[in-house]
Structure formats: structure tokens, C-alpha cells
Amino acid sequence: MPGKNLSREEAQQRARSIDLDGYRVHLDLTSAPDPAAATFRSTTVLSFRSSAPGDGTFVDLLAAAVRSVTLNGRALDVAEAFDGARITLPALAEQNELVVEADCSYSRTGEGLHRFVDPADGETYLYTHFEPADARRVFATFEQPDLKAPFTFTVTAPAAWDVYANAVHEEITEDGGARTWRFAPTKPISSYLTAVVAGPYHVARDHYGCELPDGTRLEIPLAATCRRSLAPYFDADEIFTVTKQGLDFFHEEFDFPYPFGKYDQCFVPEYNIGAMENPGCVTFREEFVFRSKVTDAAYEGRANVVLHEMAHMWFGDLVTPKWWDDLWLKESFADFMGSFAQVEATRYKAAWITFANRRKAWAYRQDQFPTTHPITADIRDLEDAKLNFDGITYAKGASVLKQLVAYVGREPFFEGARRYFQRHAYGNTVLTDLLDVLEATSGRDLKAWSAAWLQTSGVNALTPQIDTDADGRITGFAVLQDGGTLRPHRVAIGLYDRDGEGGLVRTDRIELDVDGARTVVPELAGRPRPALVLVNDDDLTYCKIRFDEVSLETLREGLGSIRDDLARALAWSALWNLTRDGLVPTRDYVDLVLRFAGRESDIGVLQSLHQQAKGAVDLYADPAWRAEGGRLLAEGAVRELRAAAPGGDHQLAWARFTALVAEEPEQLQLVRGLLEGTERIDGLDVDQELRWALWLPLAAAGAASGEEIERELERDNTASGRRQLTQCLAALPTPGAKAAAWAAVVDSDELPNALVEAQIAGFAQPGQRELTAGYTEPYFAMLEDVWAQRTIEIAMRIVGGFFPKYQTTQAVLDTADAWLDGHPAAAPALRRLVLECRDDLARALRAQECDRG
């Protein structure tokens, strides 16, 4: 498989004969402020050994041009050695030095070295993002995780800029209008973990110190950066507080000192993901710098990401998966540890509620696709790897680890982690390396557990089966398990009844192991039948919760009266799964949201309910009831907005939900009134981010002109403002707006990643089905060209974003099936994306049938 898409077999073959001594990389970024300059100079000096002298190998490089390649002092013919993605290295010596000089391209897609010009002040900013395999867009490298080495970066940049990399800088020299930054060598790390951030970034600094068990003191310089135009909104003190709390927690639990010297956290523009765990230089999407009022759920979410990335310093950076098959060895652990550390070390004590309600919803959805895979996946190549940063690798893996802690105990789990770090520091691992230490510390044989949980796919459903006598006492209680491979589950069964004030409270809890199709629970026999049975109370395992009919009726009558926040969140999650599975009619779920969401105290759960209710009406409702469902949601949103406590998180959440669902003239009039100041709701600050949220429904309904919306940019000529203007203009209900959005994304590759995302988001409006129906055929026609011609990041957005998901008809489903049947040789990753979109559409049709009754 020559070319960009490195296969696992090629990586294994290369690793068998190559050992690295180190990289020296010099990047000349002085051209970056010139918009006409498309490239930068990259020089790589790579020292390595070969166990098969005389044989050849190759290094990876994606460059606009290669100026020279010198191997062991001998110049190679560039035209012969470089094929556009790889440099062939013939006749290796035992000890080798490779020097590659190249012109590499500045990126607009967030892959490689991304360049951004701030519309607020004209300043230019750069940052890198490499995972899984884009370091080769910046320097010549062996682009695979198991070929670790120290990296020494030297960066020449405009004199007014600062430069950040994985290690501390050792020297800065100035020459005319440029400064050259020389950084210390890193510890041995994988190429995808290297990082460079450069530009006139605003920086805040702090310091962390702690006593180590051997009596020495660990000192870690801290920095947090953002663009200068965002500095007035940058709450670095809050970020440093969470950072220090996390470092305290991980040092206590892991007993391995943070190994990478400094700890910089850089908030960067147009970032494709939430964050990246580059050791010593973590990068975050700058949307975590809040320009306007957000709910506490946003701060909790940011803290979770900070701790997730920090956990990676050990799980992923210190000890790295050998190949992407074991991606879960870092991502599942970081996802689990992010929530665990939040609850134990920060003020965000509801993190497990958020995990149960939001992260696991992602896992349940991904795990029910026909493309689902085990947590330890079969990753054949880099395209497979890119698609496996998904809900299974992250959220399902974290859920399974949560259950593992319940199964083996907290202390054996963390002792296993400590031994894992000590044994494999700066190395690479596979699944058995982790299981070996956990078996040693827990005394349990984990091979069967691993086979059931890590090496199979799919989600089980657990259902209580309850028999009672004439007096209402339990005569038989069992837990039924179905859904593919049956697994051992450590669960808590919660029994809930009404208290004196009508609230549903837990009256008893039984913890047990569920295994097989039917597990009898004899200790519950003879007890009064409770009003509600929750079979995965405390969310110990990964499963879909089902209810017996009495419990389901209890929820219909009083879901909002469940006193415990986590139990209530689990009930909401279970009902959402029942709706998605076509077992509860959409209109019933919407009714529950309308009756009980206003009483929901957890702001994160409330915001999830808003998104789910909107999605249910748009996708799962009987088309004949869809308009009525939308009207009921909009009326309910306005009612709750007016009733919410002034100035609070709930008021802001309901205001945003009102903007999301406003379609009728009455709601649109309120939206416009809030924008123009003719309508006021006590305590609601219509700040800039809320203003853009209010413009979007007006645009989509045709209740605002493009000229009106463009004038909003005079108030907010920022990167965020331009993204949101782009989305609003693409949302206009005219053929011209849709054609322009389609052409800007599909027919051109000039837009940066952030504006591609904004165009797609505006194009796809659920209330414009007739307007966009004509794009179904062009969508399927362009798929293979897009996949072949665009970077994988942009191609994934186009394939997923333009799929006609709101055209919920059998005809469109048949068209998707015809494409899949007619393109068996299409790239496997492309087929996977289309198949998942097709499966979402089929699910929508099943849910609609349920809603019709």
C-alpha cells in the first residue's frame, strides 16, 4: 500500500529493522505573515540505526517540494527518491544520518502547520496538529508511534513572535527582523506528539511545585496562551487552578513525576478537535476561551478536557500504544481519568452525571452502527486510525474502565497503573502489557473479562423481570440480558419509592454480578414491589437500561421527582435510547421533556435534553406530527425561558433553546425583539454569542435578509463572528444560498476548515427539506472525488455533513444502498462513513414508524 496511507504491515516491517537516536528539526517560519507565501523551509537531520545494513527503508514526508536528500553524506536524486509522500532510502549503513531539506505547505485544514490570520487585528498565528500522522507535513519522519526518539527543534520566526514547543527553549538569538529559538531535546516521544506553536500569542504564567516521595521537589513552569484579541476574555487563573488540582491528583495516584519539564496550554484558532496531548505543549480549541456568558456545564466541560489531556502525559505520552490497534490504551484511560479526577480533585462534582448523560450517549450511538468495532480494534492503516477516534475508543472504553474499577477495586487498579508506568516508561505497549500488571495487582484472571469487554463489539440491554403476588410483594426478580455477545456486568440495582413529599428516593440498593441471559436476584424476593427499579444504578457498567412496565409508568408520571441527580440522568438516558430504538414514540419523549425538563436542576443534563428533543422532532417524529412537535417545543421553550430565574444558567440555556426551535411567527418576533431591544426578559444579557444564536433562526426562516445579518459583522468582526455569519448566510432559505454554500465547499478547496464547517452547518437546515432535496444525487456523485482530492479531515466533514440526513424517505435510503452496492472498491474509510450515515437514516425511519403507532 504505497503512498500516504501507511499500512500496519509496513510499519511493523520498518520497526523490525530501525532504531532511532534522534531528530534535529529546523523550521524557518519567517514567511508566515506574507499571505502570498504558501510554504516554509523545513530541515530535518535524522540519526538512526539499521539492523539490516545494505537493505533499504523509507521516511514519510508530505511536502510541496524537496530541495535535497542526503544519506550518510551522499546526495540522493530527489526525483528518484521522493514520490510525493515517501523518500526511499537505499543501501543503509549500520549507523545512518539523513538530512532532508524541503518546502512544506502552510495548512488551512488544521492538519500539519496551520496558519490563521486574525480578522480583528491582522496578526498571523501558527500551530501544529499531527495526530495520527501529520508530522510528515512539517518534517521528514518515521511516522508511526512505536519509533520513538528525542526531538530537538530550532524555529526561526518573526522577531515579534513567541514560539512554544514540547521542551523549554535554551537560547534565543536575534538577526534583523527574526529570532531563532533553540529548544532542549525532548524525552523519547512519538512523532505525532511533537508540537510547535508560534505567533504573537498573549501568555499568562504560573508555577506548580510538589514534594516527591523521595524528598526532592518537583517544579513545573506553567503557561497558558491565546490570541491577543481574546486576551480580555481569557480566564487563565481558572485554567491554572484546574491544572494544579490535576497535577496534585495524578502525582498522588500515579506515583510517577510529571516527566516533560514545563506545562504549556495553548488555545489556538480553527482547531479541529477539543485538544491534543502534546507533552509540554498541549493545544486546545480556542472556543474554550469564553467570549460571552456560558453555563457552568461549559466550564465543567473545559475542566474535563484539561484533565483528560493531562492524564495523557502518562497514558499516551510516557507510555504509548505500539500501533493504532491499541489507541484505547491512551484514549479510554484519559476519558475515564478526566471524569475521575474532576470528581475527586475539583469543584466539578457532577462529572459522572455528565459522563452518563453525554459521553455514553456518544458510545451507545457508535456501538449500534453496523461498523461498530471492539475497543481493541483492527486498524489496518492510517485511514482506519483516523476514523477510530470515536465513541467506542473514548466513551465506551472509559465506561468499561469504570466497570473494571468496580470489578477489581480502586487501589488494585491504580497500583496496576503505577507498575505499568514504571515498567514501560518511554516505551510502547499492547493490551497484554496492561492486563499483566492488573492481574498481578488485583489477583483476578482478566483474560475472560478482556475477551468479553475489549475484544467484542455491541451494547447489551439489561431489563428487570419482576413477578409479584396479590399483595404486591416480589415473588421473583431476575435481570435479563440481550444484545449480541453476553458479558459479565457488575451492577447496582436501585429500588425507588415515593417519600412523604412525593419525591422518588432510593430505598434499597443491591450490588451483584450479572452474567448470561438471565440472572436471578433471590435477595429481593419477599420485598414490596417498588415504584421504580433502576438496573444500572450508580452507572457502574456499560449497558442500555430497560424498564419493566410499572417502572416505565412511574417515569411517565413523575420522572422529574427523582431526587438523586445521577439516577434521574440515567432515567433520561434510558428513555432517549428507547426513543432512538423505536420502542417509545417520539411524541411521548417530547411530552416528557416538556413536562419535566423545566424541573431539571443539572444544567448539563438540561442542555442535553434540549439537543435530544430537537433531534427527536427533526428525525424521529412521524412527518405528519413533525410540525406539531416543533410548535410544542417552541412554545415550551418560550414558557420556560420566561419562568427561569433571572440571570442564571437555566435562563441562558432556555434562551439558546428558544433560538434553536423558533419557527413560528410568534417565536420569531420574540427573537427579533431580543436582538433589537424591543423585547426584554429580566436578567437575560443578549451578548454577542447569544446575538448570533438569535440571528440563525431568523436567517433559516427567511425572516432576516443577508444584508441585515452582514451588518452584525460590524459589531463583531472577529474569527467567531465570521464563522457565524457564514453559517447564517448558508442557512438562508433560497436556492442561491444553498448553491453558494455547496460550491464553496465541494467545488473549491480555498476555505479554511472552520469555514467549511460553518458552510455545511448552515446548508443543512431541518426545515428546508424541499429546498435541499435536489442535492441528494450530486452528493453521491461527488463522494469518491472528494475522498481522493481532499485531506482526510476535510473529506470526513464533507461526507458526513452533506449526507441528506433530513431527507428521511425510503427513496433516499435506497439511493444510499445503491451507492454502497455499486462501489464495493471505494476506500474502506469512505464506505464506513456512508454506511454510518445510511444507518442513522434507517434508524430515523424505524423511529418514525413507531411514532405513527
Side-chain angles (χ1 to χ4, degrees), residues 450-506:
S450 171
W453 279 106
L454 302 180
Q455 296 166 318
T456 63
S457 60
V459 57
N460 301 127
L462 300 184
T463 307
Q465 182 185 61
I466 307 170
D467 297 317
T468 58
D469 61 19
D471 297 326
R473 292 191 172 275
I474 296 172
T475 57
F477 191 108
V479 178
L480 307 183
Q481 178 180 185
D482 60 32
T485 301
L486 303 185
R487 302 179 178 92
H489 296 263
R490 185 67 180 176
V491 302
I493 298 174
L495 310 182
Y496 289 77
D497 268 311
R498 300 282 182 184
D499 63 13
E501 299 176 349
L504 280 167
V505 297
R506 187 164 69 189

Side-chain angles (χ1 to χ4, degrees), residues 586 615-626 844 847-848 851-852:
T586 296
V617 169
D618 290 340
L619 295 171
Y620 302 152
D622 175 7
W625 185 78
R626 187 184 291 140
Q848 289 177 12
D851 196 43
R852 273 191 287 273

Side-chain angles (χ1 to χ4, degrees), residues 574-651:
L575 288 163
W576 175 238
N577 280 319
L578 287 165
T579 304
R580 291 189 73 247
D581 290 348
L583 299 175
V584 165
T586 296
R587 64 194 70 199
D588 289 2
Y589 179 78
V590 170
D591 177 65
L592 287 166
V593 171
L594 290 171
R595 287 192 292 123
F596 297 124
R599 298 168 58 180
E600 178 54 57
S601 60
D602 186 283
I603 189 62
V605 172
L606 176 63
Q607 290 177 287
S608 291
L609 293 176
H610 287 163
Q611 294 294 327
Q612 290 165 354
K614 171 66 170 166
V617 169
D618 290 340
L619 295 171
Y620 302 152
D622 175 7
W625 185 78
R626 187 184 291 140
E628 174 69 5
R631 182 187 64 78
L632 290 171
L633 277 184
E635 290 176 353
V638 173
R639 183 170 59 251
E640 295 294 347
L641 170 60
R642 295 191 182 280
D649 281 1
H650 285 64
Q651 183 188 60

Side-chain angles (χ1 to χ4, degrees), residues 102-166:
D103 294 326
C104 296
S105 298
Y106 293 110
S107 169
R108 295 188 305 273
T109 67
E111 302 152 290
L113 181 64
H114 188 84
R115 177 169 59 178
F116 171 84
V117 178
D118 190 341
D121 56 18
E123 295 284 5
T124 299
Y125 294 86
L126 304 177
Y127 64 87
T128 58
H129 179 73
F130 294 154
E131 190 177 38
D134 285 318
R136 56 187 172 157
R137 296 182 185 275
V138 176
F139 55 88
T141 179
F142 292 112
E143 190 78 284
Q144 57 191 80
D146 60 341
L147 288 177
K148 286 184 161 184
F151 287 80
T152 304
F153 280 96
T154 301
V155 180
T156 302
W161 286 16
D162 288 329
V163 181
Y164 304 85
N166 301 95

Side-chain angles (χ1 to χ4, degrees), residues 37 67 217 322 381-382 489 500 545 558 569 575 577 623 707 784 791 796 822 828 832 844:
R67 293 171 177 257
R217 186 164 180 82
K322 186 177 183 66
D381 52 46
L382 293 178
H489 296 263
I545 298 172
L575 288 163
N577 280 319
E707 292 76 13
E784 288 191 294
T791 67
M796 287 169 61
R832 171 179 167 173

Side-chain angles (χ1 to χ4, degrees), residues 35-54:
T39 62
F40 58 93
R41 180 73 66 88
S42 168
T43 303
T44 307
V45 180
L46 174 52
S47 300
F48 65 98
R49 286 161 283 131
S50 171
S51 62

